[in-house]
């Protein structure tokens, strides 16, 4: 069935270093891949997204890459800062009316 | 501009009871979707409504139902509550269905079933 695998489940990086979170999806019909950031006790917020006709998208310190052949996509955060500490969720849309989320990655930025 | 609002913020129910959760979308948004988020997991898709019609349903039992009103607000109903229904229930709105309409989440309703 439709599934999104996300790893690692927990990631600790030194402030200023880069963080990479990876996701794989099972449904080849998926063509939209958003990433959400959820701080403790708060709502998930969209931070970046990518569509299947694009291989990479960048927004300041955040970038997302997509490999449709391998069915995986990744979130890259450079020059990490304390406020980047949160849980990050990847997601895939196998069709317009459905979205499947990964289980999340808890990112800790170490001082 | 108000975001997505959900009520109540917290709720405690006992097994077998039913519950109604409410969601008001961002003004102008016509699609509302519901998600269940168990602690330590990603949100699980329950329903999507657009223009008052159900457009999508996740793998949840028939105890879960929802509807959307003419003003695009929505209710999620859960009957015969089980302990396993304890979770954060998130509502998200978007202008329409589809990939060019990003989801905007509310703060959620935390349901505890005892």
């Amino acid at each position: 069935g439709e599934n999104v695998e996300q790893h690692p489940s927990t990631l600790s990086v030194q402030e200023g270093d880069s963080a990479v979170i990876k996701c794989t999806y099972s449904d080849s019909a998926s063509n939209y891949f958003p990433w959400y950031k959820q701080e403790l006790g708060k709502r998930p917020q969209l931070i970046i997204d990518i569509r299947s006709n694009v291989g990479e998208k960048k927004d300041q310190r955040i970038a997302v890459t997509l490999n449709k052949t391998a069915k995986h996509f990744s979130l890259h955060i450079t020059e990490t800062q304390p406020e980047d500490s949160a849980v990050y969720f990847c997601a895939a849309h196998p069709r317009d009316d459905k979205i499947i989320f990964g289980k999340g990655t808890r990112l800790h930025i170490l001082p | 501009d108000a975001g997505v609002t959900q009520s109540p913020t917290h709720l405690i129910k006992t097994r077998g009871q039913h519950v109604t959760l409410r969601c008001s979308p961002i003004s102008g948004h016509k699609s509302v979707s519901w998600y269940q988020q168990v602690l330590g997991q990603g949100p699980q898709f329950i329903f999507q409504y657009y223009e008052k019609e159900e457009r999508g349903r996740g793998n949840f039992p028939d105890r879960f139902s929802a509807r959307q009103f003419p003003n695009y607000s929505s209710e999620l109903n859960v009957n015969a509550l089980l302990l396993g229904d304890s979770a954060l229930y998130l509502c998200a709105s978007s202008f329409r269905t589809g990939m060019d309409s990003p989801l905007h989440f509310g703060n959620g309703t935390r349901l505890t079933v005892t």
Side-chain angles (χ1 to χ4, degrees):
Chain A
E2 299 154 338
N3 190 38
V4 174
E5 298 284 343
Q6 181 174 349
H7 58 92
S9 57
T10 305
L11 179 61
S12 297
V13 299
Q14 290 293 137
E15 181 178 348
D17 288 351
S18 296
V20 180
I21 302 171
K22 299 181 179 181
C23 289
T24 59
Y25 59 97
S26 59
D27 192 329
S28 57
S30 298
N31 52 11
Y32 175 60
F33 307 90
W35 285 87
Y36 291 85
K37 175 183 180 182
Q38 188 174 27
E39 297 178 56
L40 190 62
K42 296 190 176 180
R43 69 186 76 185
Q45 291 191 301
L46 179 70
I47 55 172
I48 196 167
D49 55 14
I50 190 167
R51 303 179 196 285
S52 60
N53 58 348
V54 176
E56 183 175 359
K57 183 177 177 181
K58 191 172 181 179
D59 182 5
Q60 300 183 347
R61 297 186 298 107
I62 296 173
V64 58
T65 59
L66 171 66
N67 183 328
K68 281 217 77 178
T69 302
K71 291 193 284 188
H72 67 69
F73 56 112
S74 301
L75 178 72
H76 304 252
I77 306 175
T78 58
E79 300 172 20
T80 53
Q81 301 170 3
E83 54 266 34
D84 295 330
S85 292
V87 179
Y88 291 81
F89 294 99
C90 63
H93 278 252
R95 56 180 193 265
D96 279 359
D97 61 354
K98 189 167 185 176
I99 180 171
I100 301 172
F101 285 85
K103 291 187 176 182
T105 296
R106 184 171 298 280
L107 177 61
H108 299 276
I109 306 301
L110 306 173
Chain B
D1 183 25
V4 177
T5 57
Q6 292 186 242
S7 63
T9 56
H10 295 81
L11 200 53
I12 299 175
K13 292 283 189 178
T14 57
R15 280 175 295 178
Q17 287 188 314
H18 70 273
V19 68
T20 298
L21 311 181
R22 296 178 175 82
C23 172
S24 293
I26 291 172
S27 178
H29 283 192
K30 299 181 179 180
S31 178
V32 170
S33 50
W34 288 93
Y35 301 83
Q36 181 193 66
Q37 187 176 23
V38 176
L39 194 63
Q41 302 289 319
Q44 296 292 308
F45 173 71
I46 308 176
F47 287 109
Q48 184 184 61
Y49 278 77
Y50 177 66
E51 290 283 15
K52 303 178 289 293
E53 291 186 1
E54 181 183 305
R55 292 298 188 94
R57 174 186 286 255
N59 296 324
F60 280 81
D62 292 343
R63 299 185 295 109
F64 288 76
S65 63
R67 54 180 176 167
Q68 186 178 33
F69 299 99
N71 66 354
Y72 303 109
S73 66
S74 178
E75 284 183 354
L76 175 70
N77 294 283
V78 186
N79 293 324
L81 285 167
L82 303 174
L83 295 179
D85 295 332
S86 295
L88 179 68
Y89 288 84
L90 293 164
C91 170
S93 77
S94 56
F95 181 67
R96 53 176 175 261
T97 62
M99 299 166 291
D100 58 349
S101 286
L103 298 175
H104 298 262
F105 284 91
N107 285 327
T109 294
R110 184 160 298 282
L111 172 65
T112 302
V113 182
T114 62

